[in-house]
Amino acid sequence: MSKPERGIVLGGGWAGMLTARMLSRHMRHVTVVERDVYPDTPRSRKGTPQARHSHILWSGGARVVEEFLPGTLDRLTDAGAHRIVLQRDAVTLGPHGWQHRFPSRQFALMCGRPLLDWVVREQVLATGHIRVRQHTEALALAGGPERITGVRVRDTVGGAEETLRADLVVDVTGRGSRITNWLGELGLPPLDEDVVDAGMAYCSRIYQAPPGATKGFPPVNLAADPHTGEPGRFGAVYPQEGGRWIVTLAGTRGAGLPTHEADFLPYARSLRDPLVADLLEDATPLTGLMVSHFGVNRRLYPERLGRWPEGLLMLGDALAVFNPIYGHGMSAAARGVAALDEHLTKPGPRTARDAQAAIGERVDAPWIMAASKDIEYVNCRVRTTDPRLTGGAADRHRFSAFIDTRALRSPAVSAVMTDVASLSTSPAELSSSRFLALMSKDELLPELTAPPLSADELALVNLEPRTPVTAAAGPLGSPAVVSEEGPTS
Ligand SMILES: Cc1cc2nc3c(=O)[nH]c(=O)nc-3n(C[C@H](O)[C@H](O)[C@H](O)COP(=O)(O)OP(=O)(O)OC[C@H]3O[C@@H](n4cnc5c(N)ncnc54)[C@H](O)[C@@H]3O)c2cc1C
């Protein structure tokens, strides 16, 4: 890949905006081709239907955004986004029990996805020399199997078609990308693809939080336990801007979903703990039910193609999608953009295939984390040749259950696990001698038997404490349970 001067980004969503910003550091001309028209306020739009569901941005992705667009995280929190230190500021029931609220080096931003997109887009477009062509649909790649020279586009209002020329075209058209068809039209074979599909579906609803709980009440996350052999049901209550909560109920294949508003609360009651349902009793719904069936883990391997054309790359959901319950899509996309930035910065000859391989490496951690968990669910459909998923399942599950269980009660293990979950540290750290040594000497706090909520937090939502919270000693509010330590990130 010689030094490109003119870049075209296909799709102006989350990954598209970050890609455009990154390319503008390397090229004089960057154009974004976007099929939609952007709303003039932070609202969801047709091209990103997932934006109506809960989105968290983990620190592993947030730090990349901040590097490319300094000031973005402050702008988001000024606009009402909540910066949550995990696990200190959250209440989580994992597959193996309740998580103690330990401090950590990592955080997550919680707010509406339309706000995230809005602030990032404003920041990107304010940097100048990025041209955005709205209501313009990418139809096909121009060029041949050896080199892509541009893209064929259509104006979605007038219908006029034209070819835009570029040295580099990046496909970030999201999960509906037509790249396989486009490559096929150039005579290239289909890309290798892995699929791990637990059939995850989401049902979300926005609530006005009770008056005392618009700030200061922790996000709540109730996960399923795949080892019951039953389909998994999940529930989450996340704080949003404007004193609202977004409540998501989700289930793997066979778990069903609420289909009518009247089913929402009973579904929440059917989770492993009544906390989400108890919170809903005192909150006011502001919307109807919003449903999404986009829960598959799917990864393409363009770098494996014998002849990957010069001048073409793919990123974001176009390259890999993950079960949203892990909250990794946007961070994985941001990390892919950072990988491409590093590649373009390197001196010497480059090929598009090398760049694509570097991007693929960044996708690997979220892929293996999501796929190796989802494969445990009953009714999961699997099509993969990844040896990490096809062999040694029993040993893998035993080891992951062992460390997951310790992380619930050990601050040191929890901190490393949160580093990994936030995409800040490679999962390889979990098999390092350093981590194994840490596990052999960590001290475990007593097991929690109820949600770790302080009396003050419970009062915010008019709930009574449940007793006992720990199986043995260790009253809630001890330094190890709710730390006063500030964000270390
Ligand atoms: C229910 C749900 C919940 C999620 N929750 C989280 C979460 O908590 N945390 C997280 O990190 N991720 C989450 N994700 C994943 C996240 O939404 C995606 O990873 C992220 O949006 C990927 O960005 P992208 O730019 O690749 O795709 P998108 O954001 O989908 O953008 C694609 C863009 O391409 C445009 N486009 C499409 N086709 C064309 C075309 N032919 N020509 C021109 N433009 C086109 C679209 O209009 C759109 O603007 C969730 C996903 C779902 C489905």
Side-chain angles (χ1 to χ4, degrees), residues 111-393:
C111 64
R113 167 70 192 266
L115 179 63
L116 278 169
D117 281 344
W118 168 265
V119 169
V120 165
R121 193 162 62 237
E122 292 251 297
Q123 294 274 92
V124 169
L125 299 183
T127 60
H129 78 279
I130 294 170
R131 184 168 172 228
V132 181
R133 299 214 12 184
Q134 300 185 57
H135 54 76
T136 305
E137 181 180 17
L139 296 177
L141 298 170
E146 303 294 333
R147 171 171 288 280
I148 300 306
T149 54
V151 61
R152 185 91 193 138
V153 298
R154 184 175 65 95
D155 182 317
T156 59
V157 179
E161 292 189 17
E162 65 180 304
T163 299
L164 308 177
R165 298 279 160 210
D167 305 312
L168 177 63
V169 174
V170 187
D171 176 23
V172 270
T173 52
R175 62 177 56 236
S177 164
R178 300 191 57 241
I179 191 90
T180 306
N181 296 8
W182 292 344
L183 293 172
E185 285 160 12
L186 299 175
L188 288 163
L191 301 176
D192 282 359
E193 180 184 60
D194 279 352
V195 176
V196 174
D197 181 8
M200 188 69 147
Y202 262 45
C203 181
S204 302
R205 195 172 195 193
I206 294 176
Y207 284 75
Q208 186 62 47
T214 55
K215 278 192 182 145
F217 189 77
V220 170
N221 214 335
L222 307 180
D225 176 3
H227 308 106
T228 60
E230 297 294 320
R233 286 189 168 188
F234 303 74
V237 178
Y238 290 158
Q240 307 279 279
E241 65 275 20
R244 297 190 296 267
W245 283 343
I246 189 160
V247 181
T248 291
L249 303 177
T252 61
R253 184 170 290 106
L257 266 194
T259 46
H260 300 288
E261 288 175 8
D263 303 336
F264 203 71
L265 190 57
Y267 194 99
R269 284 254 165 255
S270 76
L271 301 177
R272 288 167 61 217
D273 185 90
L275 181 58
V276 169
D278 290 348
L279 292 172
L280 295 189
E281 297 280 6
D282 216 15
T284 311
L286 298 177
T287 65
L289 308 187
M290 302 170 289
V291 172
S292 164
H293 291 275
F294 299 144
V296 64
N297 301 289
R298 180 183 51 80
R299 178 179 180 182
L300 294 172
Y301 294 91
E303 65 276 14
R304 289 190 193 159
L305 204 64
R307 292 184 298 154
W308 180 254
E310 286 304 308
L312 177 66
L313 294 171
M314 53 194 301
L315 262 168
D317 279 12
L319 179 66
V321 289
F322 315 99
N323 178 347
I325 209 79
Y326 307 110
H328 279 158
M330 293 185 299
S331 291
R335 285 166 46 78
V337 174
L340 179 54
D341 183 51
E342 285 163 27
H343 187 85
L344 291 172
T345 308
K346 268 197 312 212
R350 298 173 274 253
T351 65
R353 192 172 173 209
D354 290 346
Q356 195 61 62
I359 295 165
E361 274 173 29
R362 299 287 165 96
V363 164
D364 195 58
W367 162 256
I368 202 64
M369 278 193 264
S372 63
K373 288 229 181 311
D374 283 7
I375 212 166
E376 297 184 22
Y377 283 99
V378 64
N379 302 330
C380 184
R381 294 176 188 161
V382 180
R383 201 175 67 233
T384 177
T385 51
D386 190 328
R388 297 167 298 177
L389 298 169
T390 52

Side-chain angles (χ1 to χ4, degrees), residues 92-99 221-225 272 408:
T92 303
L93 176 65
H96 304 285
W98 289 103
Q99 170 72 52
N221 214 335
L222 307 180
D225 176 3
R272 288 167 61 217
L408 299 177

Side-chain angles (χ1 to χ4, degrees), residues 439-453:
M439 279 212 297
S440 67
K441 61 173 192 265
D442 64 335
E443 285 186 19
L444 298 184
L445 290 182
E447 187 184 338
L448 292 170
T449 57
L453 282 157

Side-chain angles (χ1 to χ4, degrees), residues 44-53 55 175 291-292 294:
S44 58
R45 59 186 170 87
K46 195 169 164 224
T48 48
Q50 74 272 33
R52 298 181 307 156
H53 295 273
H55 273 71
R175 62 177 56 236
V291 172
S292 164
F294 299 144

